[in-house]
Each structure stands twice: as C-alpha cells, then as structure tokens.
Amino acid sequence: MTAQPLHFRLLSLLSVIMFFAGWYAITALHLAPANLLPSMGEVVDAFTDILHNGYRTTTLSEDILATLGRCIGGFGLAALAGVPLGLWMGRSRALAASLDYIIQFMRPLPPLSYLILLILWLGTGDASKVALLFLSALPTIVMASMAAVRGVKQQRIQAALACGATEAQVFRHVVLPSCLPMVMTGLRISLAGTFSTVVAAELMAARDGLGWMVFSASQFLRTDIVMMGILILGVFGMALSWGLLRFDTWLVHWRGRE
Amino acid sequence: MPDASGSVARVSSEAFVTFDNVGVTYGSGAARVAALENISLSFRAGDFVSIVGPSGCGKTTLMQTLAGFLKPSHGRVTIEGRTVDGPGADRGVVFQQPALFPWLTVAGNAGFGPMLRGAAKSQRTEVVERNLRMAGLWDFRDRYPYELSGGMQQRLAIVRALANDPKILLMDEPFGALDALTREQMQEELHAVWRRTGMTVLLITHSVEEAIYLGTDVVVMSQRPGRIMERIAAPFARRDERNSRAVKSLPEFVAMREHVLSLIWRSGHS
C-alpha cells in the first residue's frame, strides 16, 4: 500500500474541484430550482449557523459525536466479539458447522429490515442502534476471521512445529499473526458498512445524530442543511476508513510483500 | 577415491535414523494412492543423505514422515532408536519456500526457536548474533524477511532451523527456487555448515549433480509408488578440495551422475 505519486493525487484533487465548480456553475446560472439545489454559499451559511446555534435541540458537535459514538460502539463490539468467534470457528469445524446457517442468513439480510424489531425490544435510544450496527457488522468480521485461520500456510505451521512449538504456541505465534491481514481487511469492509447503516438507523428513530439532522431537515425542504449534513457525513466516513487503513498499513507491514 | 578426512565428528556405526518398511497411502477405496512402498533405509549420525528421484516419487512424503508431519500408513521411522511420533525441535526443517514469519524481523526469525523455549534474553541474542554473523545476515538483523533476496531468505530459514541445535537437518528442495549462481553458492555454504558441525543432513533435491556433490549417500527413488531403487555411496562430499567446477567435472563424478540419471530416466518410463 504505497503512497500515490503526486500527479495521481493531483488528478484525484482535480475531480473534487470539478465537482464544486460544476455545482457552482449550476447554481450561479440558475440551471436548477433554488429550493432543490442550494448554492455553495447557502450551504456554508447553514454550516456556520448550525455550528453556532445548533440544529433544533442539538448542537452540531453533539450530532457528530452521537453518530460516531454509535458507529464506533457497534463496530467495536462486533470486532471484539466477531474476531475471536471467527478465529475459533476457523479452528473448530464443529463450531463453524453449528453457526454456519445463522451467519449465512444474517450476512445478506438488510439491517433495516430488523431495525423495527430492535426498537420494539430495546427502545428508541442508543441501545437499539448499537445493537443494529453490531449485528450488521458481525457476519463480515466473523467470515473474514474464519477464512483467515483456514488460509494459514501449512508450511509456516510446520516450520514452527519443527522449531519445537506446542499447539498453543503455534496459535499464538503463527496462526494469529498470519491471520492479521485478512482480519484487518474484514474489519475495514465492515466499518464502511457500519457507517452507511448508522445513518439509515438514525432516519427511523432518533433525536440526534447526523442522519437524524439530514432526515429532519429534508422534511422542511432545507436542502442547504441536507447538503451540509451529507458533506460532513462523507468527510467523517472517509476519515474513519483512512484511519483504519493507516492502522492496517502500520500493523500489517508485510501485506502484499511476501 | 573416498578421502576419509576424519573431520566429521560423531561418526558412529549405530543406525541413527531408520525407515523400517515404511509405506504411505493416501485416500481409500478406488481413489487409494500409494505414495511410498516398502521403504527401508538407515543412516548414521553425520551422514549427508541426498534423495533424488522423478517428480511424484514421494521424496517429500518420505521427509515428512521423518519430520513427524505425516504418520506412515505402515512401518515406522526411528531416530536414535525412538519411534518418530510428531514433529520436534530435534529435527530442523527447511522448505523450498522459506516459510519465514514476515511479521518478525530477521533477528526475530533467527531466534524463533529459542524464544519458544523461553531461553534467557542474553542467551538468545548470543545465539542469534553468532548464527546471523555466520550466515552474513547480521547487518540485516532489523530488516524484515521480505526485504531480503531469495538466497538470503533461504539462508535465514536455515539459520532459524539451526538455532534449535537439531540432531538432523531435513531439507526439501531448499535451493530449487534460486538462480543457478546463488544455488551453487548456497551448496558451498551448506557443505561448510555440515563439515563444521558434523550434523546429519537429509537433502531432497531434483538436481542429481547437487545430490552427488553434497551427499555422502545418494538414494535414488522410483516413480510412484515411491521405492528405493539404489543407494550409492558418494565420495565427493568428504573431499577436502572444494573447487566445485573441478569436482563436478571429475570423470568419476560424471560417471556417477550419468548412472543416476539413467536410473531415473528408466524409472520414469517404465
């Protein structure tokens, strides 16, 4: 995972500039109805307004923290439970077989389909949302961790055994580190999914959070606030993924170099 | 002719390793495949045994039964009189692909065995330093395996195996993935290690030349099911002269090479 050469990064930047330029041109030339597509100035105004006065009952930082907190809570719990479970399933055929259908059933299930049940069971507070994110993140993490254990190169294990390793030492010193690349990939995929699910969860039952703000503003046709909310969501989503990617390149320094 | 230089320690007339009528079959019923059949073979401590044969003759399977990775379907393998029952640090193993641990530095890989045994840190660093210096890898101790060339990686794999003071070194095509020049250099280094330590070595190779050049004994195996066709005592490994090109073009070397090649050639077309 080497850094992009400068001219490619400029190219990436150029497309962003093109996007904003196009946006500016459309609103400046009045090519779209103003209530459907706000101008950039209006969005910036909405941002400074909400930054200072908050949106309805919450401040902007409260909304951001609420969304990030749910995300990190649900994802973190899923990682804490899913990685050990998946690793164990990779070792134990019996455990893998007993959970196989449940995981396979959960994996393609749209999380919003069971959100309403979670709200009925756990209420409209954070518990139902964190539970939703936990359940939606779990299958990917479990599957990746299980596949990681099964994919450990036999010769690596044999090399360790011939150095006198016990079963427990093989697991601790060879299997675990060998699994890191695939486990980390599973975590990165599932984090992206978690972030898109958190917003959807906030659309249905919430009193704060970025998703709630966007949904609420859309009901008053405040497209400037909607636009601002989307931009903030996108930036935080990118930041989360980027952070985890940096952690991955640091931790799994041998990725793709064996 | 054989030049008993006597520089190899620990030569004993006792059988050190024995394969006692070993057979290995895979699968069952119609899909049953015999990989090895009636392998009886023994060698003494300090021997350097090369095993050659066509692809699919079960050379690797044979090594795996001694390493303890594979249980023979019948017969038994013993080392110093005890039946092999699983892998252990007394048998160092080196594969064609070095199978190093990429999350550990060169020093970490070299000290892997001592680390597992819980050896004291000072003792560990001493072993690691001595072995890495010997292998010319000391300057790379803080690098990672993927930063090394193929030859250096394989040298590190050998260092990792030797750090456990094994009684025998098992090598499965260790130089098969290296270029020709590196390969010849590695042959010299392996030979030097063997001469210096008097260690017993089992080398599996596709190269007949390598087998004869390095081995005190050359075992020729047949196409599946693998059987031992012939065991030849080779004098070249114990010669003091180590000009590899000169040795490999000696008339007796060439004659032995052609003999082994014709055996393999015949077995492959039977």
Side-chain angles (χ1 to χ4, degrees), chain A residues 159 169 173 177-178 253-254 257, chain B residues 69 95 102-103 116 144 146 160:
Chain A
Q169 284 178 324
H173 294 290
S178 290
H253 54 83
W254 63 93
R257 300 167 79 179
Chain B
F69 301 144
F95 301 102
W103 51 89
L116 293 178
Y144 287 96
Y146 51 78
R160 179 177 64 183

Side-chain angles (χ1 to χ4, degrees), chain B residues 158-217:
Chain B
I158 296 171
V159 163
R160 179 177 64 183
L162 292 179
N164 305 307
D165 284 320
K167 291 173 185 157
I168 182 168
L169 189 59
L170 312 178
M171 309 180 87
D172 188 0
E173 289 277 350
F175 311 140
L178 304 177
D179 63 90
L181 269 174
T182 311
R183 184 174 189 142
E184 296 223 329
Q185 195 188 336
M186 296 288 289
Q187 289 174 359
E188 295 308 322
E189 289 178 22
L190 175 60
H191 183 264
V193 168
W194 173 70
R195 288 285 284 239
R196 193 174 57 237
T197 61
M199 176 176 298
T200 316
V201 179
L202 182 76
L203 172 76
I204 287 167
T205 176
H206 268 115
S207 160
V208 172
E209 199 176 76
E210 184 171 281
I212 299 172
Y213 181 65
L214 293 174
T216 56
D217 294 82

Side-chain angles (χ1 to χ4, degrees), chain A:
Chain A
M1 217 107 3
T2 50
Q4 293 258 1
L6 184 65
H7 58 282
F8 282 123
R9 265 203 264 183
L10 287 177
L11 208 56
S12 309
L13 204 59
L14 188 67
S15 67
V16 177
I17 292 169
M18 296 277 285
F19 170 79
F20 282 106
W23 181 8
Y24 177 79
I26 291 171
T27 51
L29 300 171
H30 302 291
L31 296 177
N35 60 346
L36 294 187
L37 185 66
S39 71
M40 274 197 280
E42 287 170 309
V43 172
V44 172
D45 288 344
F47 177 71
T48 44
D49 175 35
I50 288 175
L51 192 62
H52 291 119
N53 306 321
Y55 178 74
R56 292 173 65 182
T57 51
T58 58
T59 66
L60 184 58
S61 54
E62 278 170 357
D63 287 323
I64 291 174
L65 285 178
T67 299
L68 288 183
R70 286 166 191 147
C71 230
I72 290 167
F75 172 75
L77 289 176
L80 282 179
V83 172
L85 181 64
L87 295 176
W88 193 6
M89 284 169 74
R91 300 271 287 182
S92 158
R93 292 245 157 223
L95 183 68
S98 26
L99 295 180
D100 187 37
Y101 288 163
I102 294 173
I103 304 274
Q104 298 298 343
F105 175 80
M106 276 173 66
R107 200 155 64 127
L109 206 60
L112 293 185
S113 63
Y114 51 86
L115 173 61
I116 198 69
L117 279 180
L118 293 174
I119 291 173
L120 288 174
W121 294 340
L122 299 171
T124 53
D126 280 340
S128 57
K129 291 174 195 66
V130 170
L132 178 85
L133 298 179
F134 172 81
L135 290 174
S136 67
L138 194 66
T140 305
I141 298 176
V142 169
M143 297 291 289
S145 307
M146 183 172 76
V149 172
R150 293 191 177 160
V152 177
K153 283 192 204 128
Q154 198 56 33
Q155 285 199 340
R156 253 187 210 164
I157 294 176
Q158 292 184 337
L161 289 172
C163 285
T166 62
E167 278 292 306
Q169 284 178 324
V170 167
F171 188 72
R172 158 81 183 74
H173 294 290
V174 180
V175 175
L176 274 189
S178 290
C179 287
L180 274 182
M182 203 182 276
V183 168
M184 285 303 295
T185 301
L187 289 178
R188 283 174 51 208
I189 293 171
S190 110
L191 179 66
T194 304
F195 199 71
S196 57
T197 309
V198 73
V199 171
E202 288 174 348
L203 297 186
M204 272 179 96
R207 283 178 299 276
D208 55 5
L210 291 169
W212 163 78
M213 188 178 77
V214 166
F215 182 62
S216 161
S218 74
Q219 292 185 317
F220 299 100
L221 219 64
R222 288 291 304 272
T223 47
D224 51 343
I225 298 178
V226 172
M227 208 69 171
M228 180 205 82
I230 292 172
L231 290 175
I232 296 178
L233 276 169
V235 167
F236 273 98
M238 275 175 77
L240 277 182
S241 293
W242 183 80
L244 196 55
L245 175 65
R246 288 304 296 262
F247 179 62
D248 177 288
T249 21
W250 171 79
L251 185 67
V252 192
H253 54 83
W254 63 93
R255 188 190 287 282
R257 300 167 79 179
E258 289 172 61

